[in-house]
Amino acid sequence: AASKGAIIAFSTSIFPDLARLASPVFHVDENDPPLLLIHGDQDPQVPINQSHELEGAYETAGIGERVRFEVIHGGAHGGEGFYDAERIALMAAFLREAAGGER
Protein backbone atom coordinates (compact mmCIF):
# COMPACT_ATOMS: atom_id res chain seq x y z
CA ALA A 1 0.00 0.00 0.00
CA ALA A 2 1.22 3.48 -0.84
CA SER A 3 1.87 5.92 1.96
CA LYS A 4 -0.08 9.19 2.18
CA GLY A 5 3.14 11.08 1.45
CA ALA A 6 3.77 9.06 -1.70
CA ILE A 7 0.23 9.64 -2.91
CA ILE A 8 0.48 13.38 -2.31
CA ALA A 9 3.90 13.57 -4.00
CA PHE A 10 2.53 11.62 -6.96
CA SER A 11 -0.52 13.89 -7.15
CA THR A 12 1.54 17.08 -7.03
CA SER A 13 3.74 15.87 -9.87
CA ILE A 14 0.72 15.08 -12.05
CA PHE A 15 -1.45 18.02 -10.98
CA PRO A 16 0.98 20.84 -10.15
CA ASP A 17 -1.62 23.57 -10.71
CA LEU A 18 -4.02 21.96 -8.22
CA ALA A 19 -1.20 21.47 -5.73
CA ARG A 20 -0.30 25.15 -6.04
CA LEU A 21 -3.93 26.15 -5.43
CA ALA A 22 -4.08 23.94 -2.33
CA SER A 23 -0.87 25.22 -0.78
CA PRO A 24 -1.06 28.26 1.51
CA VAL A 25 2.56 29.08 0.64
CA PHE A 26 1.46 30.41 -2.75
CA HIS A 27 -1.29 32.62 -1.36
CA VAL A 28 0.60 34.71 1.21
CA ASP A 29 0.51 38.45 0.63
CA GLU A 30 0.85 41.70 2.57
CA ASN A 31 -2.77 41.44 3.75
CA ASP A 32 -2.25 38.20 5.67
CA PRO A 33 -2.82 38.19 9.44
CA PRO A 34 -0.28 37.31 12.12
CA LEU A 35 0.53 33.60 12.15
CA LEU A 36 1.72 31.33 14.94
CA LEU A 37 3.21 28.05 13.72
CA ILE A 38 3.90 25.34 16.29
CA HIS A 39 5.39 22.23 14.73
CA GLY A 40 7.01 19.06 16.06
CA ASP A 41 10.31 18.29 14.37
CA GLN A 42 9.47 14.57 14.40
CA ASP A 43 6.01 14.94 12.83
CA PRO A 44 5.38 11.84 10.70
CA GLN A 45 2.28 13.32 9.03
CA VAL A 46 3.26 16.86 8.06
CA PRO A 47 6.94 17.45 7.30
CA ILE A 48 8.33 20.37 9.28
CA ASN A 49 9.65 21.75 6.01
CA GLN A 50 6.08 22.83 5.20
CA SER A 51 6.08 25.19 8.18
CA HIS A 52 9.52 26.48 7.22
CA GLU A 53 8.19 27.18 3.71
CA LEU A 54 5.17 29.05 5.07
CA GLU A 55 7.41 31.11 7.34
CA GLY A 56 9.60 31.87 4.30
CA ALA A 57 6.55 32.93 2.29
CA TYR A 58 5.71 35.49 4.99
CA GLU A 59 9.28 36.78 4.84
CA THR A 60 9.24 36.95 1.03
CA ALA A 61 5.97 38.90 1.16
CA GLY A 62 7.66 41.43 3.46
CA ILE A 63 5.59 40.48 6.49
CA GLY A 64 8.08 38.24 8.27
CA GLU A 65 7.51 40.15 11.50
CA ARG A 66 3.95 38.75 11.57
CA VAL A 67 4.98 35.09 11.79
CA ARG A 68 6.21 33.27 14.88
CA PHE A 69 7.57 29.75 14.39
CA GLU A 70 7.96 27.52 17.43
CA VAL A 71 9.58 24.11 16.99
CA ILE A 72 8.84 21.39 19.52
CA HIS A 73 12.02 19.33 19.53
CA GLY A 74 11.16 15.64 19.61
CA GLY A 75 7.48 16.47 19.06
CA ALA A 76 5.32 14.51 16.66
CA HIS A 77 1.89 15.50 15.29
CA GLY A 78 0.28 16.87 18.44
CA GLY A 79 0.66 15.66 21.98
CA GLU A 80 1.37 17.02 25.43
CA GLY A 81 4.28 19.20 24.30
CA PHE A 82 1.88 21.35 22.33
CA TYR A 83 -0.19 22.12 25.43
CA ASP A 84 2.36 22.54 28.19
CA ALA A 85 2.53 25.73 30.27
CA GLU A 86 5.22 27.23 28.03
CA ARG A 87 3.17 26.79 24.84
CA ILE A 88 -0.06 27.99 26.48
CA ALA A 89 1.77 31.16 27.58
CA LEU A 90 3.19 31.54 24.06
CA MET A 91 -0.28 31.23 22.51
CA ALA A 92 -1.81 33.69 24.99
CA ALA A 93 0.93 36.27 24.35
CA PHE A 94 0.61 35.79 20.58
CA LEU A 95 -3.17 36.30 20.69
CA ARG A 96 -2.85 39.39 22.90
CA GLU A 97 -0.32 40.91 20.53
CA ALA A 98 -2.31 39.97 17.42
CA ALA A 99 -5.41 41.57 18.95
CA GLY A 100 -3.57 44.84 19.34
CA GLY A 101 -1.96 44.73 22.74
CA GLU A 102 -2.62 43.82 26.34
CA ARG A 103 -6.26 43.06 27.09
Side-chain angles (χ1 to χ4, degrees):
S3 73
K4 289 179 190 174
I7 292 169
I8 292 170
F10 175 76
S11 299
T12 58
S13 66
I14 292 180
F15 304 108
D17 292 337
L18 288 176
R20 188 176 177 89
L21 283 173
S23 174
V25 170
F26 297 105
H27 302 283
V28 173
D29 65 30
E30 67 278 355
N31 298 310
D32 278 16
L35 177 65
L36 174 61
L37 297 166
I38 303 176
H39 205 125
D41 65 358
Q42 301 300 309
D43 188 332
Q45 294 173 297
V46 179
I48 194 169
N49 190 48
Q50 291 186 9
S51 287
H52 284 293
E53 288 176 3
L54 189 51
E55 177 186 37
Y58 263 65
E59 291 169 0
T60 299
I63 56 172
E65 75 282 355
R66 293 187 204 162
V67 66
R68 171 76 192 268
F69 186 16
E70 175 83 1
V71 176
I72 299 180
H73 298 284
H77 192 80
E80 291 181 17
F82 288 80
Y83 303 101
D84 62 12
E86 180 182 347
R87 291 338 179 276
I88 296 296
L90 171 69
M91 288 181 242
F94 174 82
L95 291 171
R96 276 193 302 274
E97 184 178 324
E102 195 69 35
R103 292 185 187 247

PDB file of all heavy atoms in Angstrom, residues 62-80:
ATOM      1  N   GLY A  62       7.328  40.231   2.697  1.00  0.00           N
ATOM      2  CA  GLY A  62       7.664  41.433   3.457  1.00  0.00           C
ATOM      3  C   GLY A  62       6.918  41.557   4.765  1.00  0.00           C
ATOM      4  O   GLY A  62       6.855  42.639   5.355  1.00  0.00           O
ATOM      5  N   ILE A  63       6.352  40.457   5.240  1.00  0.00           N
ATOM      6  CA  ILE A  63       5.593  40.481   6.491  1.00  0.00           C
ATOM      7  C   ILE A  63       6.141  39.443   7.480  1.00  0.00           C
ATOM      8  O   ILE A  63       5.422  38.893   8.299  1.00  0.00           O
ATOM      9  CB  ILE A  63       4.079  40.269   6.249  1.00  0.00           C
ATOM     10  CG1 ILE A  63       3.813  38.971   5.483  1.00  0.00           C
ATOM     11  CG2 ILE A  63       3.483  41.478   5.534  1.00  0.00           C
ATOM     12  CD1 ILE A  63       2.344  38.602   5.377  1.00  0.00           C
ATOM     13  N   GLY A  64       7.439  39.218   7.399  1.00  0.00           N
ATOM     14  CA  GLY A  64       8.082  38.236   8.271  1.00  0.00           C
ATOM     15  C   GLY A  64       7.908  38.529   9.752  1.00  0.00           C
ATOM     16  O   GLY A  64       7.920  37.614  10.566  1.00  0.00           O
ATOM     17  N   GLU A  65       7.703  39.800  10.086  1.00  0.00           N
ATOM     18  CA  GLU A  65       7.509  40.147  11.503  1.00  0.00           C
ATOM     19  C   GLU A  65       6.171  39.657  12.026  1.00  0.00           C
ATOM     20  O   GLU A  65       5.940  39.634  13.235  1.00  0.00           O
ATOM     21  CB  GLU A  65       7.620  41.671  11.708  1.00  0.00           C
ATOM     22  CG  GLU A  65       6.427  42.468  11.228  1.00  0.00           C
ATOM     23  CD  GLU A  65       6.336  42.693   9.717  1.00  0.00           C
ATOM     24  OE1 GLU A  65       7.278  42.308   8.982  1.00  0.00           O
ATOM     25  OE2 GLU A  65       5.314  43.249   9.267  1.00  0.00           O
ATOM     26  N   ARG A  66       5.282  39.228  11.140  1.00  0.00           N
ATOM     27  CA  ARG A  66       3.954  38.747  11.568  1.00  0.00           C
ATOM     28  C   ARG A  66       3.915  37.253  11.861  1.00  0.00           C
ATOM     29  O   ARG A  66       2.896  36.740  12.317  1.00  0.00           O
ATOM     30  CB  ARG A  66       2.914  39.040  10.484  1.00  0.00           C
ATOM     31  CG  ARG A  66       2.652  40.500  10.295  1.00  0.00           C
ATOM     32  CD  ARG A  66       1.506  40.701   9.344  1.00  0.00           C
ATOM     33  NE  ARG A  66       1.609  42.006   8.726  1.00  0.00           N
ATOM     34  CZ  ARG A  66       0.982  42.362   7.633  1.00  0.00           C
ATOM     35  NH1 ARG A  66       0.185  41.495   7.021  1.00  0.00           N
ATOM     36  NH2 ARG A  66       1.131  43.563   7.137  1.00  0.00           N
ATOM     37  N   VAL A  67       4.996  36.540  11.572  1.00  0.00           N
ATOM     38  CA  VAL A  67       4.983  35.093  11.790  1.00  0.00           C
ATOM     39  C   VAL A  67       5.897  34.733  12.957  1.00  0.00           C
ATOM     40  O   VAL A  67       6.973  35.295  13.109  1.00  0.00           O
ATOM     41  CB  VAL A  67       5.379  34.317  10.508  1.00  0.00           C
ATOM     42  CG1 VAL A  67       6.805  34.553  10.105  1.00  0.00           C
ATOM     43  CG2 VAL A  67       5.117  32.833  10.653  1.00  0.00           C
ATOM     44  N   ARG A  68       5.415  33.829  13.774  1.00  0.00           N
ATOM     45  CA  ARG A  68       6.205  33.272  14.882  1.00  0.00           C
ATOM     46  C   ARG A  68       6.222  31.767  14.680  1.00  0.00           C
ATOM     47  O   ARG A  68       5.170  31.143  14.542  1.00  0.00           O
ATOM     48  CB  ARG A  68       5.550  33.638  16.218  1.00  0.00           C
ATOM     49  CG  ARG A  68       6.137  32.951  17.426  1.00  0.00           C
ATOM     50  CD  ARG A  68       7.479  33.570  17.832  1.00  0.00           C
ATOM     51  NE  ARG A  68       8.167  32.763  18.794  1.00  0.00           N
ATOM     52  CZ  ARG A  68       8.085  32.891  20.107  1.00  0.00           C
ATOM     53  NH1 ARG A  68       7.307  33.806  20.631  1.00  0.00           N
ATOM     54  NH2 ARG A  68       8.771  32.098  20.896  1.00  0.00           N
ATOM     55  N   PHE A  69       7.420  31.181  14.648  1.00  0.00           N
ATOM     56  CA  PHE A  69       7.572  29.753  14.394  1.00  0.00           C
ATOM     57  C   PHE A  69       8.224  29.106  15.599  1.00  0.00           C
ATOM     58  O   PHE A  69       9.353  29.421  15.948  1.00  0.00           O
ATOM     59  CB  PHE A  69       8.417  29.559  13.143  1.00  0.00           C
ATOM     60  CG  PHE A  69       8.549  28.135  12.669  1.00  0.00           C
ATOM     61  CD1 PHE A  69       7.699  27.135  13.106  1.00  0.00           C
ATOM     62  CD2 PHE A  69       9.526  27.805  11.754  1.00  0.00           C
ATOM     63  CE1 PHE A  69       7.822  25.841  12.647  1.00  0.00           C
ATOM     64  CE2 PHE A  69       9.663  26.516  11.291  1.00  0.00           C
ATOM     65  CZ  PHE A  69       8.816  25.533  11.737  1.00  0.00           C
ATOM     66  N   GLU A  70       7.495  28.234  16.241  1.00  0.00           N
ATOM     67  CA  GLU A  70       7.959  27.524  17.434  1.00  0.00           C
ATOM     68  C   GLU A  70       8.108  26.044  17.092  1.00  0.00           C
ATOM     69  O   GLU A  70       7.149  25.393  16.672  1.00  0.00           O
ATOM     70  CB  GLU A  70       6.929  27.701  18.557  1.00  0.00           C
ATOM     71  CG  GLU A  70       7.225  26.936  19.806  1.00  0.00           C
ATOM     72  CD  GLU A  70       8.206  27.635  20.723  1.00  0.00           C
ATOM     73  OE1 GLU A  70       8.662  28.750  20.400  1.00  0.00           O
ATOM     74  OE2 GLU A  70       8.520  27.063  21.772  1.00  0.00           O
ATOM     75  N   VAL A  71       9.316  25.525  17.250  1.00  0.00           N
ATOM     76  CA  VAL A  71       9.581  24.110  16.994  1.00  0.00           C
ATOM     77  C   VAL A  71       9.560  23.361  18.322  1.00  0.00           C
ATOM     78  O   VAL A  71      10.179  23.791  19.296  1.00  0.00           O
ATOM     79  CB  VAL A  71      10.944  23.913  16.302  1.00  0.00           C
ATOM     80  CG1 VAL A  71      11.254  22.426  16.139  1.00  0.00           C
ATOM     81  CG2 VAL A  71      10.968  24.621  14.954  1.00  0.00           C
ATOM     82  N   ILE A  72       8.835  22.269  18.354  1.00  0.00           N
ATOM     83  CA  ILE A  72       8.842  21.390  19.520  1.00  0.00           C
ATOM     84  C   ILE A  72       9.803  20.247  19.207  1.00  0.00           C
ATOM     85  O   ILE A  72       9.489  19.360  18.407  1.00  0.00           O
ATOM     86  CB  ILE A  72       7.427  20.869  19.851  1.00  0.00           C
ATOM     87  CG1 ILE A  72       6.526  22.050  20.161  1.00  0.00           C
ATOM     88  CG2 ILE A  72       7.486  19.865  20.995  1.00  0.00           C
ATOM     89  CD1 ILE A  72       5.117  21.700  20.503  1.00  0.00           C
ATOM     90  N   HIS A  73      10.991  20.330  19.794  1.00  0.00           N
ATOM     91  CA  HIS A  73      12.025  19.330  19.527  1.00  0.00           C
ATOM     92  C   HIS A  73      11.600  17.982  20.100  1.00  0.00           C
ATOM     93  O   HIS A  73      11.195  17.888  21.247  1.00  0.00           O
ATOM     94  CB  HIS A  73      13.361  19.798  20.087  1.00  0.00           C
ATOM     95  CG  HIS A  73      13.818  21.066  19.437  1.00  0.00           C
ATOM     96  ND1 HIS A  73      14.344  21.095  18.166  1.00  0.00           N
ATOM     97  CD2 HIS A  73      13.767  22.346  19.856  1.00  0.00           C
ATOM     98  CE1 HIS A  73      14.609  22.337  17.839  1.00  0.00           C
ATOM     99  NE2 HIS A  73      14.269  23.128  18.848  1.00  0.00           N
ATOM    100  N   GLY A  74      11.603  16.979  19.232  1.00  0.00           N
ATOM    101  CA  GLY A  74      11.164  15.644  19.610  1.00  0.00           C
ATOM    102  C   GLY A  74       9.659  15.459  19.505  1.00  0.00           C
ATOM    103  O   GLY A  74       9.151  14.372  19.723  1.00  0.00           O
ATOM    104  N   GLY A  75       8.942  16.529  19.157  1.00  0.00           N
ATOM    105  CA  GLY A  75       7.481  16.471  19.059  1.00  0.00           C
ATOM    106  C   GLY A  75       7.023  15.840  17.762  1.00  0.00           C
ATOM    107  O   GLY A  75       7.668  15.980  16.728  1.00  0.00           O
ATOM    108  N   ALA A  76       5.911  15.152  17.843  1.00  0.00           N
ATOM    109  CA  ALA A  76       5.324  14.513  16.665  1.00  0.00           C
ATOM    110  C   ALA A  76       4.186  15.390  16.140  1.00  0.00           C
ATOM    111  O   ALA A  76       4.320  16.605  16.049  1.00  0.00           O
ATOM    112  CB  ALA A  76       4.844  13.114  17.015  1.00  0.00           C
ATOM    113  N   HIS A  77       3.054  14.782  15.828  1.00  0.00           N
ATOM    114  CA  HIS A  77       1.891  15.497  15.287  1.00  0.00           C
ATOM    115  C   HIS A  77       0.881  15.669  16.420  1.00  0.00           C
ATOM    116  O   HIS A  77      -0.072  14.915  16.530  1.00  0.00           O
ATOM    117  CB  HIS A  77       1.295  14.700  14.122  1.00  0.00           C
ATOM    118  CG  HIS A  77       0.299  15.458  13.323  1.00  0.00           C
ATOM    119  ND1 HIS A  77       0.668  16.371  12.359  1.00  0.00           N
ATOM    120  CD2 HIS A  77      -1.054  15.453  13.328  1.00  0.00           C
ATOM    121  CE1 HIS A  77      -0.419  16.886  11.815  1.00  0.00           C
ATOM    122  NE2 HIS A  77      -1.470  16.347  12.386  1.00  0.00           N
ATOM    123  N   GLY A  78       1.124  16.665  17.264  1.00  0.00           N
ATOM    124  CA  GLY A  78       0.282  16.867  18.441  1.00  0.00           C
ATOM    125  C   GLY A  78       0.879  16.176  19.648  1.00  0.00           C
ATOM    126  O   GLY A  78       1.960  15.600  19.586  1.00  0.00           O
ATOM    127  N   GLY A  79       0.186  16.284  20.753  1.00  0.00           N
ATOM    128  CA  GLY A  79       0.661  15.662  21.980  1.00  0.00           C
ATOM    129  C   GLY A  79       0.835  16.683  23.087  1.00  0.00           C
ATOM    130  O   GLY A  79       0.593  17.872  22.913  1.00  0.00           O
ATOM    131  N   GLU A  80       1.268  16.197  24.232  1.00  0.00           N
ATOM    132  CA  GLU A  80       1.373  17.023  25.429  1.00  0.00           C
ATOM    133  C   GLU A  80       2.279  18.228  25.252  1.00  0.00           C
ATOM    134  O   GLU A  80       2.020  19.292  25.812  1.00  0.00           O
ATOM    135  CB  GLU A  80       1.854  16.173  26.602  1.00  0.00           C
ATOM    136  CG  GLU A  80       0.824  15.168  27.071  1.00  0.00           C
ATOM    137  CD  GLU A  80       1.324  14.356  28.259  1.00  0.00           C
ATOM    138  OE1 GLU A  80       2.304  14.773  28.911  1.00  0.00           O
ATOM    139  OE2 GLU A  80       0.718  13.312  28.524  1.00  0.00           O
TER     140      GLU A  80
END
